[in-house]
Amino acid sequence: MDLKNNIKAVYFVGAGGIGMSAIARYFMSRGLVVAGYDKTPSELTHRLEQEGMLLHYDEDIEKIPQACKKPEQTLVIYTPAIHEHKELAWFRENGFEIQKRAQVLGTLTRTHKGLCVAGTHGKTSTSSMCAHILHQSHVKCNAFLGGITKNYGTNYLLSENSDFVVIEADEYDRSFHWLRPWMSVVTSTDPDHLDIYGTEEAYLDAFRHYTTLIQPGGALIVRKGIALQPDVQEGVRVYEYSQDEGDFHAENIRIDNGEIEFDFVSPIENVKNVKLGLPIPINIENGVAAMAMAQLNGCTPEELRYGMATWKGVDRRFDFRLKDERHVLISDYAHHPKEILESARSIRQIYKNRKITVIFQPHLYTRTRDFYREFADALSLLDEVILCDIYPAREEPIPGITSKIIYDHLREGVEKSLVSLDGVIPLVKSRDFDVLVILGAGDLDNFVPEICALLNDKG
């Protein structure tokens, strides 16, 4: 697909997804008519409407704007999470150009230098950190991110005079195979989306194929020790990174009084006294990867240091919503066992002597079926685990697969309970908490503002 001048309107089927909304903002910035459907109104869809997007929430062909009903000038973009859909079927029957979200991003990596971040987890934090470093530097960049950055209040950055575009490379449905990166970080390859891939081997092979797509002259920056056998083209440089070793790593790490500093070790140029703007231990390693890609594309030591110190994080990624002497409330999107393990370790490291309670909403029946033991092990690092019903997203229930199978495998000594989604607010009203973590990628996060207000009222 070529983003041709004759495209006057863009219609999104599944407009409210975090990745879809970034592309919608891109087309709005070009002055096109941008409209779409989403199943459920949300804070994000309301913001898109305020920015000029025409949205509705019923599958209704009559509600598609007239400007989007002309096949010769309308591009239709859909998310692979959408399957049967009246509007999508109508567009197909009437000869419209229809593309997956990832295909559009793939086109952008052919017209810009794509700096992509792939991996089972760590993608959003690493890509948004890299985008912030570049955006505030002399290099500049565009960015399509998987979360709302706190620095900019959006998941989309525009720099008209920059050739670079930072993209979060999503492995779901093999979407990242549409990309042609100039450079890429791969953070992790812990098996996930086995409803799509079937086996761990197929999942790893998808990442191997992704590495073949990096353009000659570019680079792969891969986390040392992960289960990945890169297969890069001739002329692609390969670097390893981690917190403690590799071509890029951190040393002289100082964690004290709620602050984190370290020295960045690089084959290009070391950078001393890097301070984390969001001082979470896991962000040391994410920061090493982000700095590596930014440095390889021209950022100076001063720009790297300033970018890291001023990065404020991403909504729902280790997101402190309340932090005072009485209460700490953290919202975290983590929904894979390895993500939860890393999140739990960081929380335990920060709050060594406090009681940590997590309310967790598992995401997908298949993921719960495949990893319930690993979920239980990771959650068992915390003091109290409250489990909500599984968030189904695109899936139908699987007999015998409920949150109870995680509950049954939590380690002895962990306080545990099951609660319906409707029971979360009454539970918070009836209890007091020291450190409370709201965990998962489903709709439990919608309750965070009310939970925050309730904890504030407790004083």
Side-chain angles (χ1 to χ4, degrees):
M1 181 198 70
D2 183 18
L3 301 181
K4 303 181 291 279
N5 291 330
N6 63 337
I7 293 176
K8 301 292 192 298
V10 185
Y11 191 86
F12 288 80
V13 181
I18 195 72
M20 293 281 274
S21 63
I23 300 174
R25 285 170 162 142
Y26 167 77
F27 284 112
M28 282 192 281
S29 76
R30 291 167 58 106
L32 305 186
V33 175
V34 180
Y37 156 89
D38 201 77
K39 184 177 181 180
T40 309
S42 66
E43 182 180 347
L44 182 53
T45 60
H46 293 324
R47 289 185 63 178
L48 289 170
E49 289 181 280
Q50 290 170 358
E51 293 167 24
M53 189 172 184
L54 306 172
L55 284 171
H56 61 269
Y57 304 94
D58 308 300
E59 288 187 45
D60 188 345
I61 294 159
E62 296 302 315
K63 291 187 177 180
I64 299 172
Q66 286 301 314
C68 298
K69 287 187 172 181
K70 300 174 182 178
E72 69 279 3
Q73 65 178 40
T74 301
L75 172 65
V76 178
I77 303 173
Y78 73 101
T79 171
I82 294 281
H83 297 293
E84 299 301 320
H85 194 278
K86 292 178 184 176
E87 294 180 12
L88 196 54
W90 183 83
F91 284 121
R92 286 192 174 116
E93 290 164 4
N94 287 278
F96 284 76
E97 183 172 8
I98 301 173
Q99 302 285 352
K100 289 183 179 181
R101 173 181 65 90
Q103 289 173 267
V104 179
L105 293 177
T107 297
L108 290 169
T109 61
R110 291 168 175 84
T111 57
H112 296 68
K113 287 186 173 180
L115 306 179
C116 304
V117 181
T120 314
H121 44 83
K123 292 189 295 290
T124 302
S125 294
T126 303
S127 58
S128 64
M129 202 181 294
C130 182
H132 173 63
I133 295 170
L134 287 162
H135 194 68
Q136 56 77 42
S137 77
H138 77 282
V139 180
K140 304 298 182 185
C141 73
N142 305 277
F144 295 84
L145 304 170
I148 303 297
T149 60
K150 289 183 173 292
N151 289 82
Y152 306 102
T154 182
N155 54 347
Y156 169 63
L157 297 178
L158 174 65
S159 297
E160 291 184 0
N161 297 320
S162 176
D163 288 335
F164 294 105
V165 57
V166 177
I167 291 174
E168 182 171 326
D170 185 6
E171 78 276 13
Y172 174 70
D173 196 38
R174 297 177 174 83
S175 292
F176 61 171
H177 289 173
W178 290 100
L179 304 176
R180 295 296 180 270
W182 169 243
M183 294 188 185
S184 182
V185 169
V186 178
T187 64
S188 48
T189 52
D190 302 292
D192 196 12
H193 304 300
L194 296 186
D195 55 320
I196 299 293
Y197 289 99
T199 66
E200 178 178 351
E201 290 74 19
Y203 186 77
L204 291 173
D205 188 63
F207 275 89
R208 183 205 58 76
H209 178 70
Y210 170 74
T211 67
T212 71
L213 305 176
I214 299 171
Q215 298 177 32
L220 169 64
I221 308 157
V222 61
R223 203 259 184 212
K224 187 176 177 64
I226 64 173
L228 174 63
Q229 298 295 323
D231 185 16
V232 298
Q233 299 184 58
E234 185 176 352
V236 174
R237 293 161 285 164
V238 178
Y239 301 94
E240 291 186 317
Y241 82 94
S242 74
Q243 176 174 303
D244 302 312
E245 57 182 342
D247 301 298
F248 298 94
H249 65 273
E251 66 179 20
N252 192 23
I253 298 168
R254 289 92 75 192
I255 302 177
D256 185 49
N257 197 30
E259 295 188 348
I260 297 178
E261 288 192 30
F262 61 90
D263 297 337
F264 175 63
V265 178
S266 159
I268 300 168
E269 183 178 1
N270 294 350
V271 182
K272 289 188 174 296
N273 302 321
V274 175
K275 185 175 181 179
L276 286 181
L278 185 62
I280 306 301
I282 194 174
N283 283 336
I284 299 171
E285 187 162 277
N286 291 337
V288 166
M291 292 174 72
M293 190 144 68
Q295 188 183 54
L296 285 168
N297 288 287
C299 285
T300 67
E302 293 76 18
E303 289 168 343
L304 294 171
R305 201 180 286 113
Y306 179 79
M308 293 294 290
T310 56
W311 185 68
K312 298 177 182 178
V314 182
D315 283 354
R316 295 185 71 182
R317 268 62 172 194
F318 222 107
D319 187 0
F320 284 94
R321 302 298 293 266
L322 179 63
K323 195 176 181 182
D324 60 31
E325 292 181 359
R326 283 289 309 279
H327 303 107
V328 174
L329 176 63
I330 300 169
S331 171
D332 198 335
Y333 188 79
H335 55 283
H336 183 277
K338 187 67 182 296
E339 290 176 328
I340 293 171
L341 180 65
E342 296 297 337
S343 181
R345 284 173 174 166
S346 286
I347 295 167
R348 179 60 73 195
Q349 191 171 353
I350 298 168
Y351 299 109
K352 293 182 176 69
N353 301 312
R354 298 178 69 170
K355 181 178 179 181
I356 304 168
T357 300
V358 59
I359 305 177
F360 175 52
Q361 181 186 40
H363 187 269
L364 300 180
Y365 294 103
T366 53
R367 187 180 284 126
T368 305
R369 176 198 65 199
D370 294 336
F371 301 116
Y372 63 88
R373 290 183 179 88
E374 291 85 348
F375 278 123
D377 287 344
L379 292 165
S380 293
L381 291 181
L382 306 178
D383 301 299
E384 181 182 12
V385 179
I386 300 167
L387 289 160
C388 296
D389 297 332
I390 295 170
Y391 182 76
R394 57 189 177 268
E395 294 185 339
E396 296 298 323
I398 298 173
I401 303 302
T402 70
S403 298
K404 182 71 160 48
I405 61 173
I406 300 175
Y407 175 96
D408 289 340
H409 286 80
L410 291 166
R411 292 176 192 162
E412 189 174 342
V414 175
E415 295 179 43
K416 59 184 183 179
S417 56
L418 296 162
V419 65
S420 68
L421 198 62
D422 291 340
V424 169
I425 294 301
L427 175 70
V428 175
K429 286 180 178 177
S430 69
R431 294 272 310 277
D432 202 2
F433 297 95
D434 187 359
V435 178
L436 178 61
V437 185
I438 306 300
L439 193 64
D443 54 2
L444 174 62
D445 188 73
N446 294 339
F447 295 137
V448 167
E450 189 173 354
I451 293 170
C452 188
L454 288 169
L455 294 179
N456 262 322
D457 289 344
K458 293 177 187 291

